[in-house]
Amino acid sequence: MAKQRGAIVVDIERCKGCELCIEACPTSVLRMERKVNGKGYHFAYMEDPGECTGCINCAIVCPDGVISVYRVKVEA
Amino acid sequence: MSIHVKSMDVKDIIKKENLVYKKSPLMTDNVLSYCPGCGHGTVHNIIAEVIEELGIQSQTIAVAPVGCSVLAYEFVDIDWLQAAHGRAPAVATGLKRVMPDKYIFTYQGDGDLAAIGTGETIHACNRGEHITIIFINNGIYGMTGGQMAPTTLAGMVSSTSPYGRDVSTMGNPMKITELVAQLPGTYYVTRQAVHKPSNVRKTKRAIRKAFENQTLKKGVSLVEVVSNCNSGWKMSPVKSNKWMEENMFSFYPLGDIKVDGELVK
Ligand SMILES: Cc1ncc(C[n+]2csc(CCOP(=O)(O)OP(=O)(O)O)c2C)c(N)n1
Ligand code: SF4
Ligand code: SF4
Ligand code: SF4
Ligand SMILES: [Mg+2]
C-alpha cells in the first residue's frame, strides 16, 4: 500500500516560538527545542520524524512562514 | 520512485524535488514585525499565495492601514500605498476609479476599519466600489497597547476597560461586517479565521473569491478574519487562539454572510 512520508525544515533563526505549529500537527511530530535561537526564542523541531506525513498543516498556520515541507510516497 | 518506509531517512525526504510547501515567493525576506503567533502574518501569506496563483502581482495595488499592519508593504511584494488612519477604503476608491482594471484591496484592522474609519467603510460599501477589503478583527487596538475598540466584546478586558467592557457605559460591540452586508453595494461578505489549518484553507478560498470578484465589477467583497492579539489580550499565542474560539466566535460566527449579492440564510 502506498503511504506518504514527510519531513519539515524550520528556519530556526526566524522562528518566534509561538507553538502554533505544534497545535496544528495531527500526528504530534513537533516539540519546542530547549535551546533558543539568536533572538532568544525556543524553536520548533521534529521530535518524532517517523510520524510526519507531510500534510503541511504546521506550515500553513505558521504566522512567520518559517516551515518548509517535503513529502515522498513510500511502500508500507 | 518508491522506497520502503522503514529504510527511509529524513535526509532522503528533504530534497529539492520533494518540496511540497514553503511560504509564498511573494513574501519578502523581511522579518515580520508582528508578535509571535499573531494572525496578521498568516493572512499576509494567504494573500501573497492568492495573488501569486492568480498571476496578478503586477496588477495589484494594496492600501495599508494604521495599526500593527501599517508596515504590510514591507512584507508582501506588490505595490502598496499607506493611508491615513481609517481612510484606506477612500484611497482604494480613488485608485480603482482611475485604474479600473487593477486589483485594488485594503488591509485593515478593526480599530482602523470599524472605529476611526467607520464612515469610509460604510460609504465605500454603500457606493459599491469594486474593491476588496481584508478586515482583521482582533477586538482591540493592538498597536497602541490594547485599548478597547468598537469590536471589543461585552465584558472583555482591555487596557481601557480593565474591569471588562461595561455596555451600559461603553456601548455595545459592533458587528460592522453584518452591518455592511445589508448595504446594496456589497457583493460578497464573509467571516473567517486562521488559527487552524482548516480555517486557513477556508480563508484562502474566501480571499481568492474576493479577488476574483473584482473582474465582475459588482461591488465590494469583504473578508473579515477574526484573529488573535495575544499581546493585547495578555495571553500566550496558543491560549489566545483557544480564548478566541471560546469567546469571539459566538459573537462573531464564522461563515458566509452574503454571496453573489444575496444574503445567506
Ligand atoms: C489619526 C490617528 N489617530 C490615532 C492614531 C493612533 N493609533 C494607531 S494604531 C491605532 C489602532 C489600531 O488598531 P487596529 O486597527 O485594530 O489594528 P491592530 O493593531 O489591532 O491590528 C490607533 C488608534 C493614529 N495613528 N492616527
Ligand atoms: S507536515 Fe503535517 S505531519 Fe508533518 S510535522 Fe507538519 S503538521 Fe505534522
Ligand atoms: S508556528 Fe512557526 S514561528 Fe511558531 S513555533 Fe512553529 S515554526 Fe516557530
Ligand atoms: S500587538 Fe497584537 S495585533 Fe499587533 S502584532 Fe502583536 S499580537 Fe499582533
Ligand atoms: Mg485590532
Side-chain angles (χ1 to χ4, degrees):
Chain A
M1 199 187 74
K3 204 185 152 200
Q4 310 214 41
R5 272 282 313 264
I8 68 153
V9 174
V10 176
D11 187 344
I12 290 169
E13 287 307 317
R14 298 173 74 106
C15 173
K16 291 181 183 165
C18 71
E19 304 186 16
L20 298 189
C21 52
I22 293 180
E23 293 291 302
C25 177
T27 50
S28 307
V29 172
L30 305 173
R31 294 279 185 288
M32 298 310 287
E33 179 59 72
R34 277 177 62 86
K35 286 182 290 200
V36 294
N37 65 16
K39 291 215 172 106
Y41 293 122
H42 298 285
F43 50 91
Y45 76 101
M46 287 195 291
E47 161 72 17
D48 202 356
E51 292 300 312
C52 179
T53 60
C55 70
I56 81 169
N57 279 2
C58 55
I60 65 173
V61 297
C62 172
D64 290 85
V66 307
I67 300 178
S68 302
V69 185
Y70 298 80
R71 190 197 300 142
V72 290
K73 277 203 173 76
V74 289
E75 284 161 14
Chain B
M1 186 184 59
S2 178
I3 315 158
H4 198 268
V5 67
K6 297 222 174 64
S7 63
M8 178 126 259
D9 189 73
V10 165
K11 284 199 199 71
D12 299 325
I13 305 172
I14 300 173
K15 287 181 177 164
K16 236 183 18 226
E17 62 269 28
N18 298 331
L19 181 72
V20 289
Y21 186 87
K22 65 175 169 59
K23 73 168 186 186
S24 168
L26 290 198
M27 291 299 289
T28 66
D29 285 334
N30 296 328
V31 173
L32 298 179
S33 49
Y34 305 115
C35 306
C38 174
H40 274 302
T42 320
V43 180
H44 284 15
N45 189 56
I46 294 172
I47 292 171
E49 285 182 1
V50 167
I51 292 172
E52 181 204 347
E53 285 166 22
L54 294 175
I56 56 171
Q57 180 182 17
S58 60
Q59 294 149 259
T60 305
I61 306 169
V63 186
V66 167
C68 281
S69 51
V70 65
L71 297 175
Y73 51 77
E74 297 278 5
F75 308 130
V76 185
D77 187 14
I78 51 172
D79 288 334
W80 288 84
L81 267 88
Q82 196 277 312
H85 206 3
R87 310 312 181 223
V91 174
T93 296
L95 287 171
K96 189 70 181 183
R97 288 190 178 202
V98 294
M99 290 177 281
D101 296 327
K102 297 280 187 197
Y103 291 81
I104 310 290
F105 77 94
T106 71
Y107 185 101
Q108 302 176 259
D110 49 312
D112 193 82
L113 181 144
I116 194 167
T118 310
E120 282 74 8
T121 303
I122 288 181
H123 287 295
C125 287
N126 197 45
R127 289 192 306 271
E129 304 297 339
H130 310 310
I131 60 171
T132 299
I133 296 176
I134 311 292
F135 167 35
I136 311 300
N137 180 8
N138 53 23
I140 211 162
Y141 293 174
M143 184 192 210
T144 44
Q147 292 85 357
M148 189 182 76
T151 45
T152 302
L153 300 175
M156 183 171 167
V157 170
S158 72
S159 61
T160 48
S161 57
Y163 305 110
R165 182 179 191 155
D166 172 4
V167 297
S168 70
T169 55
M170 302 169 192
N172 293 289
M174 184 158 61
K175 301 186 192 194
I176 196 156
T177 302
E178 275 84 350
L179 210 143
V180 298
Q182 301 298 323
L183 301 173
T186 50
Y187 186 66
Y188 176 49
V189 181
T190 188
R191 182 184 287 117
Q192 304 293 337
V194 292
H195 63 307
K196 283 186 172 168
S198 56
N199 296 94
V200 170
R201 292 183 174 98
K202 282 185 197 157
T203 298
K204 186 172 173 184
R205 283 197 288 276
I207 289 178
R208 192 186 170 101
K209 188 175 170 68
F211 274 88
E212 286 171 342
N213 282 347
Q214 286 207 25
T215 57
L216 305 174
K217 302 207 183 330
K218 289 193 168 168
V220 173
S221 289
L222 185 148
V223 180
E224 173 179 341
V225 180
V226 182
S227 190
N228 60 357
C229 174
N230 45 80
S231 290
W233 299 356
K234 308 209 183 308
M235 295 173 200
S236 71
V238 170
K239 278 212 180 103
S240 73
N241 279 347
K242 206 163 185 325
W243 190 89
M244 179 174 74
E245 280 186 315
E246 287 166 0
N247 297 278
M248 299 275 280
F249 293 169
S250 49
F251 189 76
Y252 297 116
L254 305 186
D256 290 339
I257 297 165
K258 193 177 197 179
V259 178
D260 299 343
E262 301 288 335
L263 287 166
V264 175
K265 246 260 146 95

